[in-house]
Amino acid sequence: MLFMLIVKASKNSEAGKLPSPELMEAMTKYNEELVKAGVRVMAKGLHPSSDGIRISYPKPGEKPVVTEGPFTESKELTAGFILIDVNSREEAIEWALRMPDPQGHGEGRIELRQVF
C-alpha cells in the first residue's frame, strides 16, 4: 500500500530557511530508517511557493488561469513529501508518528494520504 507523508509548509519553509543542523540530522536518520526497513520509495523537499505556479480552472470550459507565487496561505501549502510502501494503514501511521517535527519550532504538520 502506498502512502504519502505530506509535510505542510510553514513561515520558515516559505521564507526558504533551511532546518537547523540538528533537525537535518534527525530527518536524515529517519530517512535512513525508512530505507533500511525497505519502505521508502521517494522523499523530496519542495522550493518555496514563491517559485511556484498555480493553475486553476474557475470557469468550466474556459482557459485555465495561471498564477505565479508566492501564495499566502502557508497552512495549505506543501513543503515536501515522503512516499512509503507499507503493508497497512496502521504501519503508515506508525512511520508518520516516528518522523521528527519536520519544520522545527513546533511548526511541523504532516498529512498522511493513501495513494490510489
Side-chain angles (χ1 to χ4, degrees), residues 4 33 43 49 57 87-89:
M4 183 175 283
E33 291 172 0
S49 72
Y57 300 83
N87 293 317
S88 67
R89 182 175 190 268

Side-chain angles (χ1 to χ4, degrees), residues 28-114:
T28 297
K29 182 180 176 188
Y30 175 71
N31 274 283
E32 288 171 352
E33 291 172 0
L34 290 168
V35 170
K36 186 177 180 180
V39 298
R40 192 182 91 173
V41 176
M42 175 184 274
K44 295 291 178 183
L46 301 174
H47 286 263
S49 72
S50 58
D51 292 337
I53 297 168
R54 182 174 288 166
I55 300 169
S56 58
Y57 300 83
K59 296 181 183 177
E62 292 188 16
K63 287 187 176 186
V65 175
V66 177
T67 307
E68 293 194 30
F71 307 114
T72 57
E73 61 283 356
S74 65
K75 288 185 177 185
E76 302 303 320
L77 299 175
T78 301
F81 67 92
I82 300 174
L83 186 63
I84 58 174
D85 189 359
V86 294
N87 293 317
S88 67
R89 182 175 190 268
E90 292 74 22
E91 184 181 358
I93 293 168
E94 288 174 18
W95 279 110
L97 289 171
R98 292 174 65 178
M99 181 187 284
D101 175 350
Q103 297 293 342
H105 314 291
E107 294 181 334
R109 293 185 315 128
I110 303 165
E111 184 176 327
L112 182 63
R113 305 272 299 273
Q114 187 172 0

Side-chain angles (χ1 to χ4, degrees), residues 7-37:
V7 176
K8 304 303 273 185
S10 69
K11 289 179 184 178
N12 283 319
S13 68
E14 279 297 291
K17 295 180 183 175
L18 293 176
S20 69
E22 296 82 16
L23 179 53
M24 293 284 273
E25 184 178 326
M27 288 301 287
T28 297
K29 182 180 176 188
Y30 175 71
N31 274 283
E32 288 171 352
E33 291 172 0
L34 290 168
V35 170
K36 186 177 180 180

